[in-house]
Amino acid sequence: MAERTFVINAPIDQAQTAVLNIFTREGWNVAPFSGDTVQISRGKKGMSIAFGALMGKDFYLSQNLQFGTGPQGETLVRYLSSTGSAFIGGAIGMRKSVKTHGEYVEKLTQALQAQGILLGVQ
């Protein structure tokens, strides 16, 4: 599972809004998952189960974002890629998931830098 942690100089509610807006603008669905975790997903799950990675841009992807507070009051956002795509689309599905995760690490980095609130990415 790929993972990146974004360190953001903003209150947790502001950081959550900034991060989730990036995904919702690009068609991701956002749903509470548990406690401090939000699940983001896109694509068609049922069709992806039937046709796997052949679904192209409609291939189902699900990833998680965990929001917390760091030791100096900064917001920490752990961005996790799901391994579920491997079960749906095999090796091709896993590659799509990892590739998409990498693309959104870059998008998040650029957007948060542009807002002047990104302290770092780990």
Side-chain angles (χ1 to χ4, degrees):
M1 178 187 312
E3 175 184 324
R4 289 288 186 271
T5 300
F6 293 83
V7 182
I8 300 173
N9 186 25
I12 198 164
D13 57 335
Q14 181 184 345
Q16 187 173 28
T17 298
V19 169
L20 295 179
N21 280 343
I22 294 163
F23 288 98
T24 56
R25 276 195 314 259
E26 297 203 8
W28 291 77
N29 297 310
V30 175
F33 188 68
S34 68
D36 62 351
T37 304
V38 174
Q39 183 178 53
I40 55 171
S41 62
R42 72 175 190 191
K44 298 178 180 177
K45 189 173 187 177
M47 295 294 287
S48 293
I49 290 170
F51 297 103
L54 300 174
M55 287 296 297
K57 67 180 179 78
D58 288 328
F59 181 71
Y60 178 77
L61 293 170
S62 172
Q63 301 176 346
N64 291 332
L65 296 160
Q66 295 177 329
F67 295 86
T69 303
Q72 277 78 42
E74 71 278 18
T75 297
L76 303 176
V77 181
R78 289 180 63 214
Y79 175 34
L80 306 138
S81 178
S82 173
T83 57
S85 298
F87 298 116
I88 294 174
I92 295 171
M94 181 55 95
R95 269 196 308 258
K96 284 185 179 205
S97 180
V98 169
K99 180 181 176 194
T100 300
H101 184 268
E103 289 171 0
Y104 277 89
V105 165
E106 289 300 316
K107 287 180 182 190
L108 285 167
T109 300
Q110 292 171 4
L112 296 171
Q113 283 175 335
Q115 294 176 43
I117 59 175
L118 183 65
L119 296 173
V121 181
Q122 304 169 351

